[in-house]
């Protein structure tokens, strides 16, 4: 099975750096796009690395952190999107977790619950 992942970044440099790091992982159709200026971004969380039992690795955000993030005024201007196979998804998310990537809450929940 293949997954479509989108990661949000504050600047193009961070998005391009993440894309370069992802090149060691088998991904396809990767691209970095600017996000049109809007008054708000979706509710985003830092990309986290999860183990195979769906438990976040050390240094993850807690529910309290999620609540504080909801009030954040951070604005994300770039989107990195790509496709990755199920067997490589954990590696791709692990790579993203070491960058300035943020995921929307729906993607975060999907990764955590799979």
């Amino acid at each position: 099975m293949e997954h479509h992942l989108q990661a949000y970044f504050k600047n193009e440099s961070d998005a391009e750096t993440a894309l370069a790091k992802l090149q060691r992982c088998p991904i396809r159709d990767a691209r970095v796009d600017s996000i049109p200026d809007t008054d708000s971004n979706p509710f985003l969380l830092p990309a986290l690395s999860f183990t195979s039992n769906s438990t976040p690795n050390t240094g993850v955000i807690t529910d309290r952190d999620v609540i504080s993030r909801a009030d954040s005024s951070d604005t994300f201007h770039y989107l990195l999107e790509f496709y990755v196979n199920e067997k490589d998804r954990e590696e791709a998310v692990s790579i993203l977790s070491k960058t300035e990537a943020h995921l929307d809450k729906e993607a975060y929940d999907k990764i955590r619950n799979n």
Side-chain angles (χ1 to χ4, degrees):
M1 186 167 156
E2 194 170 64
H3 296 276
H4 177 245
L5 291 179
Q6 294 180 316
Y8 296 82
F9 296 86
K10 293 178 186 175
N11 61 62
E12 185 176 18
S13 177
D14 288 344
E16 293 290 350
T17 298
L19 176 57
K21 290 178 180 184
L22 282 168
Q23 295 304 314
R24 67 178 183 226
C25 183
I27 62 172
R28 72 171 184 85
D29 296 338
R31 67 181 185 176
V32 173
D33 284 326
S34 63
I35 300 171
D37 287 336
T38 61
D39 291 338
S40 65
N41 284 139
F43 179 43
L44 303 174
L45 301 168
L48 304 174
S49 178
F50 292 88
T51 62
S52 58
N53 67 359
S54 298
T55 304
N57 285 338
T58 313
V60 297
I61 55 177
T62 64
D63 288 342
R64 177 175 290 147
D65 295 326
V66 170
I67 292 166
S68 68
R69 278 272 185 205
D71 296 328
S72 175
S73 62
D74 290 341
T75 302
F76 297 87
H77 299 282
Y78 287 88
L79 173 71
L80 165 59
E81 58 184 328
F82 59 93
Y83 291 88
V84 64
N85 287 322
E86 174 86 34
K87 66 183 180 71
D88 300 311
R89 183 180 66 171
E90 188 175 318
E91 180 182 0
V93 172
S94 177
I95 291 168
L96 288 175
S97 74
K98 296 174 179 99
T99 69
E100 297 298 318
H102 284 65
L103 303 175
D104 64 57
K105 185 162 180 355
E106 182 178 324
Y108 172 83
D109 289 341
K110 190 183 236 183
I111 290 167
R112 188 177 64 176
N113 294 324
N114 281 336

